[in-house]
């Protein structure tokens, strides 16, 4: 039976909107769009080589995610960075990530252990001289792998969006070699406690790990704002 034309058109619109969304994300990652900047829909349309409609749809979705704001009769702007938002991002992580540990431990399978081990080793093996983007993404992948094993999908989506803001808007965590070593150790301890079934210690180490990163990131952000 032939697929209804209406359904094909709807799917095509979704595909084009997703393409526009991914293109704008790449521009954010490359710092071609920066916080506070006014966004021209037509410029993005030309830059991404697509019509204006999917670009506007992508911008509306990014407004929902917190990357963009819309001002009537003035257009779209990238939202500005703020200490309050950055602090709130880490407060959300502090609440959400440790709370998923009991479900992660209770649902852990051999396949889940392998996935978590792979994410752990991928972060450890990333370039260590500076906190490069590869290592930032590997750090996020470890945390999301840990969370995804809980199978709490709504909360995982919230956490994924939180990491998107942290990485694409704030540039992640720019840390020293020493902080990287500490992060590796924290990840290893969380992994060991999860695999051994020690929920309370896994929660404790993960919460302390996020608190330490929060302290470092907020301190650096304050210094940047003062400079």
């Amino acid at each position: 039976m032939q697929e209804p034309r209406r359904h094909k058109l709807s799917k095509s619109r979704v595909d084009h909107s997703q393409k526009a969304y991914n293109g704008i994300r790449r521009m954010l990652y490359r710092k071609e769009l920066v916080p506070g900047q006014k966004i021209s829909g037509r410029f993005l349309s030309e830059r991404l080589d697509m019509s204006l409609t999917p670009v506007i749809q992508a911008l509306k979705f990014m407004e929902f995610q917190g990357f963009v704001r819309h001002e009537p009769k003035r257009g779209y702007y990238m939202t500005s960075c703020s200490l309050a938002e950055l602090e709130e991002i880490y407060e959300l992580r502090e609440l959400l990530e440790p709370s998923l540990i009991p479900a992660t431990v209770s649902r852990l399978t051999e396949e889940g252990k392998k996935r978590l081990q792979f994410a752990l080793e991928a972060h450890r093996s990333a370039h260590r001289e500076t906190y490069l983007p590869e290592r930032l993404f590997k750090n996020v992948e470890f945390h999301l792998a840990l969370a995804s094993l809980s199978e709490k999908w709504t909360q995982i989506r919230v956490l994924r969006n939180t990491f998107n803001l942290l990485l694409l808007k704030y540039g992640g965590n720019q840390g020293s070699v020493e902080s990287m070593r500490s992060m590796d150790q924290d990840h290893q301890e969380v992994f060991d406690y999860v695999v051994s079934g020690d929920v309370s210690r896994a929660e404790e180490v993960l919460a302390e790990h996020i608190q330490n990163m929060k302290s470092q990131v907020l301190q650096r952000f304050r210094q940047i704002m003062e400079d």
Side-chain angles (χ1 to χ4, degrees):
M1 183 175 178
Q2 189 175 12
E3 185 180 15
R5 178 175 172 77
R6 192 156 141 197
H7 177 70
K8 286 183 178 179
L9 289 173
S10 177
K11 185 176 185 300
S12 175
R13 282 195 292 267
V14 170
D15 290 344
H16 280 85
S17 297
Q18 186 64 47
K19 182 180 176 183
Y21 172 74
N22 290 338
I24 296 170
R25 277 174 57 92
R26 282 193 297 272
M27 293 177 72
L28 277 170
Y29 175 70
R30 294 169 182 163
K31 306 301 181 188
E32 295 172 14
L33 296 172
V34 296
Q37 177 181 342
K38 190 178 191 306
I39 307 166
S40 166
R42 294 197 179 280
F43 167 75
L44 291 178
S45 175
E46 293 173 5
R47 183 78 164 71
L48 300 173
D49 192 25
M50 58 177 55
S51 69
L52 185 60
T53 298
V55 169
I56 296 301
Q57 290 172 338
L59 287 174
K60 287 179 179 178
F61 182 58
M62 298 190 85
E63 181 181 13
F64 171 77
Q65 291 183 310
F67 289 105
V68 171
R69 76 176 191 277
H70 180 254
E71 296 185 10
K73 299 182 180 181
R74 296 189 64 187
Y76 287 93
Y77 293 80
M78 300 302 301
T79 55
S80 299
C81 292
S82 75
L83 181 65
E85 181 181 56
L86 188 56
E87 191 166 11
E88 192 173 341
I89 287 171
Y90 275 93
E91 287 173 354
L92 180 58
R93 288 189 61 192
E94 287 176 292
L95 288 170
L96 186 52
E97 290 189 61
S99 74
L100 296 175
I101 289 291
T104 291
V105 170
S106 68
R107 293 172 175 166
L108 191 63
T109 62
E110 287 303 317
E111 180 60 31
K113 291 178 187 178
K114 290 178 183 178
R115 283 174 52 199
L116 196 56
Q117 178 78 49
F118 179 84
L120 177 72
E121 292 175 355
H123 181 263
R124 184 184 293 126
S125 64
H127 203 290
R128 303 181 64 84
E129 290 185 10
T130 55
Y131 211 72
L132 297 174
E134 177 197 2
R135 194 166 172 88
L136 290 173
F137 284 108
K138 297 302 181 186
N139 173 55
V140 169
E141 286 171 8
F142 174 79
H143 283 269
L144 287 177
L146 181 66
S148 69
L149 294 174
S150 71
E151 299 182 16
K152 301 280 189 177
W153 302 116
T154 300
Q155 295 177 66
I156 293 163
R157 281 197 298 273
V158 171
L159 185 59
R160 191 178 297 277
N161 289 336
T162 300
F163 275 121
N164 278 337
L165 269 178
L166 193 59
L167 284 172
L168 296 176
K169 185 173 179 179
Y170 289 91
N173 310 314
Q174 303 300 322
S176 65
V177 173
E178 189 59 39
S179 71
M180 285 189 274
R181 293 195 187 103
S182 175
M183 183 172 290
D184 284 336
Q185 183 177 343
D186 290 346
H187 286 184
Q188 183 67 60
E189 287 186 22
V190 170
F191 174 83
D192 290 341
Y193 287 127
V194 165
V195 169
S196 68
D198 193 334
V199 170
S200 61
R201 285 295 290 143
E203 289 175 325
E204 183 180 340
V205 173
L206 182 57
E208 186 175 347
H209 167 70
I210 297 169
Q211 288 165 8
N212 288 339
M213 292 310 303
K214 173 185 176 183
S215 176
Q216 292 178 35
V217 170
L218 292 180
Q219 182 179 1
R220 284 195 295 276
F221 188 81
R222 290 189 186 100
Q223 290 174 345
I224 292 170
M225 295 298 289
E226 288 171 4
D227 294 341

